Amino acid sequence: MLTHWVVMPTRLPLVLRRCHACASERFRADGKFRVNAHHKLIDAWLLALCTACGETTKLTVFERRNVRSVRPELLDRLHANDPTLAAELLQDPVLRRRNRVAVDWGGAWRLDTGGSGHLDRDAIDAFDATDVIDVSVRFAARIPVRPVRLIAEGCGLSRAGVERLIEEGKAVSAIRLNGKVSGDFTFMLKR
């Protein structure tokens, strides 16, 4: 039995950076940009608001770049405050490193198992000894998640229950199921 799951973002992740006004460490980006031109040079920032006090911070997209070096479609997306561009930029490790920020995906994603419910323990136990469930997990965005958490949520098990399945050799994959992943992978549940 082959099943396809998709890890989908539900909102933009929180930006982790200390607020200079209230010492909070979380900012919410909503896809707003500020673009400033200086003759032939242009600057662009992604704006984010502190979740505690509402203070604005700017994440540098680019600074003092020649206007002709910026692709026209990128400039249009910046002027249109494109939220998908904000999502792409927040996933960019170069932008995060340049701005010395991290992102928090907690509560910003969901697992789509392709059905109304999830696989439950009874469904897993109901298979014959030779039956296997192959699950292909695809990521719609680079969201770091532990496969153990995905399996627990998708199968309706506790994390400890999934850990037991791994120890017993009933949940196997080519990747380490205990670490974090942000790319597509497959795993197999055996009886």
Side-chain angles (χ1 to χ4, degrees):
M1 171 185 216
L2 180 62
T3 306
H4 300 281
W5 293 354
V6 180
V7 178
M8 302 183 65
T10 56
R11 63 170 171 78
L12 292 175
L14 294 176
V15 176
L16 301 178
R17 168 189 265 182
R18 182 171 292 281
C19 178
H20 69 279
C22 71
S24 171
E25 295 186 359
R26 299 193 183 290
F27 284 82
R28 181 180 55 255
D30 58 357
K32 303 282 188 216
F33 292 92
R34 178 166 182 217
V35 180
N36 195 9
H38 310 280
H39 302 289
K40 294 180 182 179
L41 301 177
I42 191 166
D43 300 325
W45 299 277
L46 173 62
L47 303 177
L49 299 174
C50 177
T51 57
C53 70
E55 186 71 22
T56 302
T57 190
K58 299 186 295 186
L59 304 177
T60 302
V61 177
F62 53 80
E63 286 183 312
R64 304 289 185 207
R65 188 178 285 177
N66 191 312
V67 174
R68 292 179 188 245
S69 70
V70 179
R71 295 184 329 269
E73 59 273 0
L74 174 61
L75 200 52
D76 290 341
R77 291 175 76 188
L78 288 168
H79 285 296
N81 291 321
D82 186 357
T84 58
L85 176 61
E88 292 169 15
L89 291 171
L90 287 174
Q91 292 179 35
D92 183 13
V94 174
L95 180 115
R96 292 194 314 255
R97 189 171 36 254
R98 180 187 315 130
N99 289 283
R100 296 186 183 109
V101 298
V103 292
D104 177 14
W105 280 98
W109 61 272
R110 68 179 173 84
L111 178 65
D112 181 9
T113 58
S116 59
H118 50 69
L119 299 174
D120 58 12
R121 183 68 186 192
D122 296 332
I124 293 170
D125 289 337
F127 289 108
D128 294 333
T130 59
D131 286 332
V132 172
I133 302 173
D134 285 315
V135 180
S136 168
V137 181
R138 188 178 62 79
F139 285 76
R142 287 189 305 250
I143 302 170
V145 183
R146 294 187 187 282
V148 168
R149 181 172 180 191
L150 292 176
I151 296 169
E153 187 172 324
C155 295
L157 302 170
S158 67
R159 288 189 202 173
V162 174
E163 294 283 350
R164 272 193 303 279
L165 289 175
I166 293 169
E167 289 172 13
E168 295 169 0
K170 294 181 179 180
V172 295
S173 178
I175 65 158
R176 218 178 93 223
L177 294 174
N178 295 331
K180 282 192 175 183
V181 297
S182 58
D184 301 350
F185 70 96
T186 59
F187 68 94
M188 186 175 16
L189 291 175
K190 300 186 237 177
R191 171 141 171 94

